[in-house]
Structure formats: C-alpha cells, structure tokens
Amino acid sequence: MSANKVISVSTSMNEGCQVHADIRGHKVTIDQPKQAGGTDEGPTPLEFFLFSLGGCIASIARIAATQQKIEMRSIDIDVDGTMNPAGLLGKPTDDRVGFQTITVRAKIDADLSEEEKQKFFEEVCHRCPLDDNIALQTQVTHDLV
C-alpha cells in the first residue's frame, strides 16, 4: 500500500468577488458574472467544480487508454449540474445547497464498439477521484487559522 498524497491549493480574495490562486505556477481566477456583482474575469466556483470533474474523467480516460493500449483519438465530456440556488443566497429552502444531480456525458473517438465504450467509460468514472468524492461522502473539516 502506498503512502497518501496531499494536494494543496491556497486561495486569496481581497476586494470584489475575484478569488485568485497560484497553483504550481498556473494563475487561476474564480469570479462571478456581472449580474451577480462580479467582473466576469473567470468561471464561478460551481463551473470550475464541474470542469474539474469533466477534466478528471478525461485525464483518467487518457491514462486508462494508454494502459489498455486503446488508441483514443479524443474524448469530449459534457457535465451538467442541477441545483436550487436559494440556499447559497441565504434564502430558506428544503433543498440541499449543493447540486441535486450531476450528469456526465462522454463522446469517445476510439476503435471500440458502443458496448466497449460504455464499459470503458464506466471503468474510467470508477477510477476518477473527483467522481468518487461526489458519489461517496468525504469528511470535510472547517478550521479558522
């Protein structure tokens, strides 16, 4: 059994709605649309979350295809999350604050039958850490420093 790996990201928000991070030299900005008080200089946290899920599945697909000697020419992934924004806006709701459903659809360009593509896609999603974190409960702690 190998040792656990810690992945860390530090963010900073000053004035306005922009959140900045320098992740291994990559400058990343999260913002809100203008109608929500932001400057629209970057995706929202929810959009980044869905992008991260699609990106993780695509990355695992590339790894799995290489391991299985499948010539995967491309994979396109669409991710849709459905939520009631009332809770995050501080309004009363019986709905959970997060996404109620997340749908992931993939188009795989590889020399595989539709059945083989489905099996490959299910295997890839099962290997994706973000898919796992969404599907299963992960302990999250909140501390002030």
Side-chain angles (χ1 to χ4, degrees):
M1 184 171 172
S2 61
N4 289 339
K5 179 178 181 177
V6 175
I7 299 172
S8 300
V9 174
S10 296
T11 65
S12 175
M13 174 191 265
N14 293 317
E15 293 180 24
C17 294
Q18 290 186 9
V19 180
H20 300 280
D22 184 327
I23 304 169
R24 295 183 302 102
H26 302 283
K27 306 287 188 213
V28 180
T29 300
I30 288 174
D31 200 356
Q32 296 294 322
K34 290 181 180 177
Q35 66 268 28
T39 56
D40 207 21
E41 294 293 318
T44 69
L46 298 173
E47 292 163 337
F48 256 121
F49 180 84
L50 297 177
F51 168 64
S52 294
L53 175 59
C56 189
I57 291 171
S59 297
I60 299 295
R62 177 61 69 205
I63 293 167
T66 300
Q67 289 172 337
Q68 297 174 30
K69 298 187 179 8
I70 296 170
E71 183 187 342
M72 186 178 72
R73 291 174 286 278
S74 67
I75 183 167
D76 297 326
I77 298 177
D78 294 326
V79 184
D80 295 318
T82 302
M83 65 176 299
N84 178 347
L88 73 86
L89 295 172
K91 297 178 182 176
T93 179
D94 291 332
D95 290 328
R96 59 184 291 191
V97 175
F99 290 112
Q100 295 161 354
T101 62
I102 296 175
T103 304
V104 181
R105 292 177 311 285
K107 179 181 176 186
I108 300 170
D109 183 4
D111 295 327
L112 300 171
S113 69
E114 289 306 308
E115 185 178 302
E116 291 169 328
K117 287 179 185 179
Q118 183 64 40
K119 183 178 179 224
F120 176 76
F121 183 54
E122 288 172 10
E123 175 196 328
V124 164
C125 290
H126 180 72
R127 288 175 57 175
C128 172
L130 292 179
D131 193 86
D132 177 82
N133 280 126
I134 295 166
L136 303 173
Q137 184 175 359
T138 299
Q139 181 181 346
V140 178
T141 57
H142 304 95
D143 298 315
L144 287 175
V145 292

